[in-house]
Amino acid sequence: MVEIAGLSDDQLKVIHKGRVDQTEVEYRLAWSRTYLKKYGLLENSTRGVWALTPAGSRIEHVDEKEVLRVVRSQLKASHNAEEVEEAAIVAGWREQLLDTILNMSPAAFERLSQRVLRESGFTQVEVTGRSGMAVLTAKALCA
């Protein structure tokens, strides 16, 4: 690649900003390989070993803008799928939490409320049970 592009020794020595262990050429080649792999033209069986895929062997010209468009579209779709999955997980735990709270015994709910108030900075939290009803009294921690 260096020979084909006709890069000089001076160009090969330029260090990528923010990295002391990688040249600018190495940095750009790494990203190029990554994008070409995601586009389906390259594959790597192990670290540092790269080969053309059958599609990569047949292609005569790579349209850089098309590669960027396709790979960015894949990344965006992947990101959106992750967001949807995360939203489903959040909805699931919220539903589970609500179900748990609604099915708690009154005494367990009172202890939970007491704990939440204490964790929120209240002191001297007392649960005063009355017939079918609990009364919580709490004093705020004053600093």
Side-chain angles (χ1 to χ4, degrees), residues 92-106 108-109 112:
W93 74 256
R94 284 183 178 164
E95 187 176 306
Q96 185 179 3
L97 176 62
L98 181 60
D99 186 51
T100 301
I101 290 172
L102 291 175
N103 290 310
M104 277 184 168
S105 70
F109 182 76
L112 174 63

Side-chain angles (χ1 to χ4, degrees), residues 11-123:
Q11 289 172 313
L12 294 174
K13 292 178 184 175
V14 175
I15 300 296
H16 179 68
K17 63 180 174 183
R19 303 277 308 257
V20 294
D21 62 334
Q22 191 175 41
T23 66
E24 186 66 25
V25 171
E26 291 170 333
Y27 175 81
R28 290 178 182 263
L29 284 173
W31 276 110
S32 297
R33 287 189 301 266
T34 298
Y35 271 64
L36 290 172
K37 178 180 178 182
K38 289 183 180 294
Y39 190 69
L41 300 179
L42 285 180
E43 61 187 2
N44 67 316
S45 55
T46 61
R47 182 177 167 90
V49 177
W50 293 85
L52 290 171
T53 62
S57 296
R58 289 189 302 272
I59 197 164
E60 291 186 25
H61 173 74
V62 176
D63 182 353
E64 301 92 2
K65 290 180 182 176
E66 174 69 7
V67 172
L68 282 173
R69 186 189 67 73
V70 169
V71 172
R72 287 179 178 163
S73 173
Q74 289 172 355
L75 292 172
K76 186 176 181 180
S78 172
H79 182 69
N80 289 342
E82 289 173 6
E83 286 179 352
V84 168
E85 183 179 342
E86 185 175 319
I89 290 169
V90 168
W93 74 256
R94 284 183 178 164
E95 187 176 306
Q96 185 179 3
L97 176 62
L98 181 60
D99 186 51
T100 301
I101 290 172
L102 291 175
N103 290 310
M104 277 184 168
S105 70
F109 182 76
E110 291 167 1
R111 288 191 308 274
L112 174 63
S113 299
Q114 184 180 36
R115 176 75 183 264
V116 169
L117 286 169
R118 284 187 177 152
E119 293 293 329
S120 298
F122 288 85
T123 60

